[in-house]
Amino acid sequence: MPRTRNRLISAARRSMLQRAELYRRLDVAKAAFKPGALVDRGKYRVNAKIDDAAHAVRQEFRNNRLPIALAAVAGMAWLLREPIKEHAPRLTQKIQDMANAVADRLRPADETPADQASADDGDHDAPVENDDEAVQ
């Protein structure tokens, strides 16, 4: 009988250990299916995918800097095409005016644009035409 008793005690211990393991697994499963845990797992997976995509984008940009930069500039120009069409003529005129002002400052003070044109042509009798008097 003592052998049977020892086997029963051993079986009871095993069943208690198995029951405790099952309860532990059940608690883990309950915790895993709580809404907060599901949201946290979803966030983790989304963040992992975003990190992988960001790494891939960085690697592609490192490998193809010039084409991607050109495409980005072209895209920005296309997005801003209406404001560019509106403001480009005024900007061009301002740039031309600044270039003319710089050219006027760089010319020697004793020469004027009319003197330069007559000195270059060698024809001192011909009248000098201004830009607004040019034949169109």
Side-chain angles (χ1 to χ4, degrees):
M1 265 276 264
R3 249 176 118 188
T4 342
R5 185 172 181 233
N6 286 340
R7 284 195 314 189
L8 284 174
I9 292 172
S10 178
R13 283 184 185 154
R14 277 195 313 267
S15 72
M16 285 179 8
L17 290 173
Q18 287 175 348
R19 183 177 299 146
E21 178 67 19
L22 285 174
Y23 280 130
R24 187 188 65 76
R25 287 185 181 181
L26 181 62
D27 289 341
V28 168
K30 281 181 185 178
F33 286 109
K34 287 184 179 177
L38 292 172
V39 168
D40 289 342
R41 271 200 326 245
K43 283 181 183 178
Y44 174 78
R45 288 186 178 173
V46 167
N47 284 339
K49 293 295 182 186
I50 289 173
D51 289 343
D52 291 345
H55 178 71
V57 167
R58 281 193 304 266
Q59 189 61 35
E60 284 301 315
F61 190 75
R62 281 187 200 121
N63 294 341
N64 304 303
R65 288 178 192 226
L66 183 63
I68 292 174
L70 290 175
V73 169
M76 289 302 297
W78 184 79
L79 286 174
L80 300 172
R81 68 188 179 277
E82 292 302 321
I84 289 172
K85 285 180 188 176
E86 181 181 331
H87 298 289
R90 283 185 275 164
L91 183 63
T92 305
Q93 184 62 39
K94 285 182 182 179
I95 291 171
Q96 286 176 350
D97 291 344
M98 288 189 327
N100 289 338
V102 168
D104 289 344
R105 285 186 184 175
L106 294 178
R107 281 195 195 110
D110 58 336
E111 284 189 29
T112 61
D115 292 340
Q116 286 178 346
S118 64
D120 291 342
D121 292 340
D123 185 16
H124 298 285
D125 297 335
V128 178
E129 290 183 358
N130 290 334
D131 289 339
D132 56 346
E133 296 176 355
V135 177
Q136 294 183 8

